[in-house]
Amino acid sequence: MTKEEKNQFIDVLDKNIKENSNFYLADLSGLTAEESTNLRRICFKREVSLQVVKNTLLKKAFEKNEGKYEDLYEVLKGNTSIMFTDIANAPAKIIKDFRKKHDKPVFKAAFLDNSFYVGEEHLEVLSNLKSKDELISEIIMLLQSPAKNVISSLNSGKNKLSGIIKTLENRTE
């Protein structure tokens, strides 16, 4: 790779880091070509961009970027892949699901909405995060629930009330 190509790659990484507020770093080393292809297909289906990067180029992109990514420098060792996503928990779920059959990828770190998560112990928490769409749908369901209960009570009460009135009408005095 020439110096010009490296600079272009750093620019592309810098642009992707600026445009994505969520990304994960993982180690894919040890995966066979078939396993790597399967992982890439899963990422593509779930709208996660997976790219193997050189640690030195990624570090230069971090340094070039206006954000402070020093917390991630310690994990830039060995094989590194970066996973960009709009859905914060998608890469964590992919890694967790893929590791049910394989021992890789190894989770290194994540950057989600200006927060750093460094180390394997964060993978479980990140995979259980709810996405924005999931949270919105839960809120809508919670807001609809009381209204549905009131309408249901009114409808059932209407039947009881009409039954009582009919009974009173039919009752002979």
Side-chain angles (χ1 to χ4, degrees):
M1 195 177 238
T2 67
K3 187 170 184 167
E4 185 178 316
E5 291 172 330
K6 288 180 182 179
N7 288 334
Q8 288 174 349
F9 188 74
I10 290 169
D11 290 340
V12 169
L13 276 176
D14 178 46
K15 181 182 173 209
N16 286 335
I17 291 167
K18 284 179 183 174
E19 290 176 354
N20 294 286
S21 60
N22 306 315
F23 63 85
Y24 284 64
L25 301 176
D27 179 359
L28 305 181
S29 65
L31 288 178
T32 65
E34 182 181 351
E35 292 168 342
S36 180
T37 302
N38 289 340
L39 179 62
R40 288 178 184 276
R41 282 188 183 127
I42 292 169
C43 288
F44 181 76
K45 287 178 185 173
R46 297 189 188 177
E47 299 178 6
V48 174
S49 169
L50 174 66
Q51 186 175 17
V52 177
V53 295
K54 287 186 172 242
N55 292 323
T56 54
L57 299 180
L58 182 58
K59 185 175 179 181
K60 286 181 182 183
F62 284 152
E63 290 169 350
K64 185 177 181 180
N65 199 291
E66 296 164 1
K68 303 212 182 280
Y69 297 100
E70 291 84 15
D71 293 346
L72 299 177
Y73 292 172
E74 67 186 70
V75 298
L76 296 180
K77 296 175 183 130
N79 186 309
T80 302
S81 297
I82 190 163
M83 303 169 92
F84 292 106
T85 181
D86 291 331
I87 303 169
N89 65 351
K93 286 183 177 183
I94 290 170
I95 292 170
K96 192 175 172 190
D97 291 344
F98 198 78
R99 289 197 331 197
K100 289 178 182 176
K101 295 179 183 174
H102 313 284
D103 59 341
K104 298 279 181 168
V106 174
F107 172 78
K108 288 184 167 187
F111 179 77
L112 308 175
D113 294 320
N114 298 320
S115 298
F116 295 97
Y117 301 91
V118 179
E120 185 72 30
E121 66 274 5
H122 296 290
L123 183 62
E124 185 68 31
V125 173
L126 293 172
S127 67
N128 291 328
L129 282 177
K130 296 197 186 269
S131 69
K132 182 179 177 181
D133 292 337
E134 290 171 330
L135 289 173
I136 290 172
S137 65
E138 281 187 20
I139 290 170
I140 289 171
M141 286 178 57
L142 287 172
L143 291 173
Q144 286 179 342
S145 180
K148 286 181 180 178
N149 289 341
V150 168
I151 291 169
S152 171
S153 296
L154 289 174
N155 284 336
S156 67
K158 176 177 71 173
N159 294 336
K160 288 179 186 177
L161 186 60
S162 66
I164 293 171
I165 291 173
K166 285 183 182 178
T167 303
L168 290 173
E169 282 178 357
N170 295 336
R171 200 170 100 187
T172 55
E173 293 185 41

